[in-house]
Amino acid sequence: MTEEVTAYDLPVVGRVPRDLDGRYLRNGPNPLGLEDPRAHHWMQGDGMVHGVRLRNGRAEWYRNRWIRSRSVARKLGEPYPWPEPPADFPANTHVISFRGRALALQEGGPRPYVLDEELRTVGTCDFRGTLDGAFTAHTKYDALAQELHAVAYDPTWSFVRHLVVDRTGRVARTTEVPLPGGPMVHDFALTARHVVIFDVPLTFDADAAARGATVPYVWNKRRQTRIGVLPRAGGQARWFDIDPLYYSHTLNAYDEGDTVVVDVTSMPAPFHAAGRLGGPAAAGPPTLNRWTIDLRRGRVRVRPLDDRPQEFPRLREDLVSRPYRYAYTAYAADMWRAYGGLAGVPSDHAFTNTLIKHDVVRGTSEVHRFPRGAAVSEPVFVPRASSSGGSAAPEPAGGRGEDDGYVLAYAHDPDRGATDLIVLAAQDFSGEPLARVQLPVRVPLGFHGGWMPNAA
């Protein structure tokens, strides 16, 4: 996108469910003033958030806005009215809702940026002066404890930090876990009793950074791949060696007696963050796997949940850290072939046109296929609101209500040459969309986002 767009009263094919009251937001890299796309690593672009406001059965507006870091504000000729943070980057990886605010997230150093209801940047977030140093792109919110958890790293640290942000919005507890060698810690897992940390052999290369490498992380085949299990209340981590792989994203995790169950997307080693041209490369595509960590016997068992190429795993968010049944992913075979090829920046037609719904209890799945070239993004589950207007309460895994809601995603419409916001009924996943909100522009391929209820 070369400009910021605002559009009102968007046309809808079908009907937007009236209980969808909030904003669907998604973040992603969108370099400002890019001269040569072939010389650019597409994961490094300036963050841009795309949003659609739904209310009373209508799609009220679409907006896209760059995150106003100091560098972006300077490029746009705007003032930067806030104190410059120690590490500054226009967060391009995720956008979450926390305590009524939208936070745009980046890993490895920068603080979150805060966005208002109309996606304007209103400053950085240091959690009421309690965040000391780096934050993360992938947080975990425990709805029962009303805590936001993070595992933060910085290339200059010899440790990672487990941070707990309490219901008042302050960092209430910090636990440092020794982790020398500068590994990239993109995501982590959370259970009711544990924090799971992934030590993969993708490590910071100071020489590459000094040479100006865009992504100064290299695959270190001499480093052991490990999983660390940290007591959630603090203490020392216990480490388990596993075979080399690259861990990508956590779907969910939970405790089961003396074991910790962790469901993730991962891919075979080696993984090259800088890739060949324009993006990362790996030995194979990401698949959905279950890691069962036996704390009593001191071993890890790995088995596939689904061996089809897939990424962007999501679930009903109020079941994070608890047993669950349903999950949603995006099929990723063509995307990963593009990563590993010589074509440079992947073209739009090389991305997924299929979403997958998993029943991890029964071991079954359903798919929703879009037209070729749809380039559908990460699926986000939104619970159907109760008749009283609040969010539906979570039910135990296997309960009939866990998938009572909607799945939202951006998908390109090849016929219009623009993007639709798709609303699927989660319990009729393969059926026709309930609504296709027609946006006036093409939303570029991006990363993560979520549902911000009641314009929070």
Side-chain angles (χ1 to χ4, degrees):
M1 292 290 290
T2 58
E3 60 183 350
E4 296 177 329
V5 174
T6 303
Y8 298 97
D9 295 323
L10 306 174
V12 177
V13 177
R15 293 185 178 181
V16 174
R18 295 188 68 83
D19 60 329
L20 282 175
D21 182 10
R23 295 170 298 159
Y24 175 71
L25 306 184
R26 202 215 64 200
N27 202 350
N30 194 99
L32 180 58
L34 182 64
E35 295 181 358
D36 182 5
R38 297 285 174 172
H40 175 75
H41 190 291
W42 60 267
M43 286 186 171
Q44 293 297 304
D46 306 310
M48 174 179 278
V49 173
H50 301 259
V52 176
R53 176 64 162 108
L54 303 178
R55 178 163 44 191
N56 295 327
R58 297 173 50 238
E60 292 188 344
W61 53 251
Y62 160 80
R63 285 179 167 87
N64 65 298
R65 296 293 186 269
W66 271 291
I67 306 299
R68 260 50 172 196
S69 66
R70 179 179 286 277
S71 63
V72 168
R74 183 173 60 248
K75 292 176 187 177
L76 293 172
E78 299 175 356
Y80 184 82
W82 314 288
E84 185 171 0
D88 193 24
F89 187 79
N92 72 13
T93 308
H94 208 340
V95 55
I96 65 168
S97 176
F98 180 62
R99 299 185 71 246
R101 298 193 298 176
L103 303 182
L105 304 180
Q106 184 74 26
E107 67 186 83
R111 294 174 179 171
Y113 267 97
V114 184
L115 309 180
D116 70 9
E117 291 188 4
E118 297 184 344
L119 307 190
R120 292 175 295 222
T121 304
V122 293
T124 59
C125 173
D126 62 3
F127 298 102
R128 302 175 67 181
T130 61
L131 177 63
D132 178 21
F135 202 58
T136 184
H138 286 286
T139 57
K140 308 287 180 246
Y141 182 72
D142 185 326
L144 295 180
Q146 298 183 51
E147 294 175 343
L148 184 71
H149 290 251
V151 171
Y153 75 100
D154 186 286
T156 65
W157 293 353
S158 60
F159 53 85
V160 296
R161 284 177 174 158
H162 170 228
L163 308 172
V164 182
V165 184
D166 65 17
R167 67 187 66 185
T168 72
R170 297 176 180 272
V171 177
R173 187 171 67 253
T174 299
T175 302
E176 290 191 356
V177 179
L179 197 58
M184 178 181 286
V185 185
H186 181 62
D187 201 351
F188 71 104
L190 181 73
T191 75
R193 302 198 307 266
H194 299 100
V195 178
V196 183
I197 301 169
F198 304 94
D199 179 9
V200 299
L202 186 67
T203 55
F204 181 71
D205 185 336
D207 292 337
R211 294 193 301 269
T214 305
V215 184
Y217 282 83
V218 298
W219 188 262
N220 184 352
K221 62 183 180 181
R222 295 182 300 275
R223 187 182 182 93
Q224 175 66 50
T225 306
R226 305 186 299 165
I227 302 173
V229 180
L230 174 74
R232 183 161 151 171
Q236 292 198 351
R238 183 179 174 188
W239 292 97
F240 301 82
D241 293 350
I242 62 172
D243 292 336
L245 53 73
Y246 179 72
Y247 153 81
S248 184
H249 293 109
T250 298
L251 167 55
N252 197 24
Y254 56 90
D255 300 302
E256 195 172 67
D258 291 329
T259 65
V260 178
V261 178
V262 188
D263 295 340
V264 303
T265 54
S266 60
M267 58 202 75
F271 177 86
H272 301 291
R276 294 176 178 175
L277 290 171
T287 56
L288 187 61
N289 301 289
R290 170 162 291 181
W291 300 353
T292 303
I293 307 168
D294 189 326
L295 299 176
R296 184 165 59 88
R297 293 184 174 89
R299 63 190 185 193
V300 180
R301 182 167 67 96
V302 179
R303 69 176 180 89
L305 288 177
D306 192 304
D307 59 6
R308 287 172 291 187
Q310 56 201 287
E311 255 290 8
F312 301 120
R314 299 294 294 263
L315 79 159
R316 180 173 173 147
E317 295 296 313
D318 51 15
L319 292 178
V320 166
S321 79
R322 302 297 192 274
Y324 73 108
R325 179 173 179 178
Y326 297 109
Y328 308 88
T329 61
Y331 188 68
D334 291 343
M335 178 179 73
W336 212 254
R337 278 196 288 269
Y339 280 5
L342 294 171
V345 179
S347 59
D348 287 351
H349 77 271
F351 281 71
T352 179
N353 69 333
T354 301
L355 298 179
I356 307 173
K357 175 186 177 181
H358 299 272
D359 183 333
V360 300
V361 174
R362 293 183 177 176
T364 60
S365 66
E366 302 174 66
V367 300
H368 188 99
R369 291 187 174 88
F370 297 87
R372 181 65 178 171
V376 65
S377 67
E378 174 187 64
V380 171
F381 178 82
V382 182
R384 185 169 63 87
S386 67
S387 57
S388 63
S391 296
E395 295 189 6
R400 288 182 301 171
E402 183 182 324
D403 62 345
D404 186 11
Y406 313 102
V407 175
L408 276 59
Y410 288 134
H412 181 63
D413 182 343
D415 295 331
R416 291 198 310 117
T419 294
D420 296 338
L421 172 60
I422 304 295
V423 181
L424 302 177
Q427 292 182 335
D428 183 24
F429 191 74
S430 60
E432 285 295 309
L434 298 174
R436 294 175 177 268
V437 179
Q438 296 183 335
L439 312 187
V441 297
R442 299 177 62 176
V443 174
L445 299 165
F447 297 141
H448 308 284
W451 176 249
M452 316 286 150
N454 300 320

